[in-house]
Amino acid sequence: MRRAAYWLFPLIAAAVAIFIVIFMIQINPSAPHMNDGTDGEESDTSPQITEQSGSWLDRFSISEEKGYFYPVNEVSLKLTDGGTATVAAHYRLTVPLKSSYELFCVKEELKKSELPYFMRKEGETMTLFVDSNDQNRLVSLVTKLKTYQIKATVSPYTEEK
């Protein structure tokens, strides 16, 4: 029995060590081989041709296939069609809040109308803002808030640049 115990503990330790090594290799595979065109194959495309032939989305998808990513959180595009620019009217609903009850009522009404909002607190005063392109929805929200005796105003909104 002693002889089995004498060899059993080192065998278990060696088995655990081998398992850990195999496990670490499986979860941390080596970096995939990226073909950059220098393996003896000549690339017949010049940078000017690749810029003309593919869009930036194609280049992003190719880079994703190769295994690296660009740290892009937000992409904004400005498209011009050569014609006259039509600007949609933006409206802002402003609700000065006096109590937590008013905040609760306004949030419930906004949930029903599915409008996004944001709040700003300056000192002791808290103001809730709702931006939308649909003036009728904001006006109907003002009438709903009047039933709770909450004052709200709708005004045209332009972003300060």
Side-chain angles (χ1 to χ4, degrees), residues 65-76:
E65 291 171 3
K66 289 184 178 179
Y68 60 91
F69 303 95
Y70 294 102
V72 176
N73 294 332
E74 181 177 337
V75 175
S76 62

Side-chain angles (χ1 to χ4, degrees), residues 45-159:
T45 61
S46 66
Q48 296 168 346
I49 295 174
T50 53
E51 286 179 13
Q52 294 171 355
S53 65
S55 69
W56 61 275
L57 282 175
D58 295 333
R59 289 194 300 270
F60 276 143
S61 65
I62 291 169
S63 66
E64 187 174 332
E65 291 171 3
K66 289 184 178 179
Y68 60 91
F69 303 95
Y70 294 102
V72 176
N73 294 332
E74 181 177 337
V75 175
S76 62
L77 300 174
K78 184 176 181 181
L79 301 175
T80 57
D81 57 355
T84 60
T86 58
V87 178
H90 294 286
Y91 299 97
R92 174 171 273 184
L93 172 74
T94 306
V95 183
L97 300 171
K98 298 174 186 165
S99 66
S100 59
Y101 171 73
E102 287 183 356
L103 177 63
F104 172 75
C105 294
V106 171
K107 280 187 176 182
E108 289 300 314
E109 289 298 327
L110 288 172
K111 255 190 235 180
K112 290 177 188 174
S113 63
E114 298 176 354
L115 286 170
Y117 64 92
F118 66 96
M119 294 180 8
R120 183 180 301 154
K121 184 174 184 178
E122 296 174 358
E124 293 292 321
T125 60
M126 186 178 303
T127 309
L128 187 130
F129 299 103
V130 180
D131 293 337
S132 176
N133 293 339
D134 190 6
Q135 185 180 14
N136 294 331
R137 284 179 76 182
L138 294 179
V139 170
S140 68
L141 187 60
V142 168
T143 56
K144 287 179 187 176
L145 292 177
K146 282 184 181 178
T147 61
Y148 299 109
Q149 297 177 350
I150 299 172
K151 293 182 181 179
T153 58
V154 176
S155 61
Y157 175 68
T158 57
E159 291 186 30

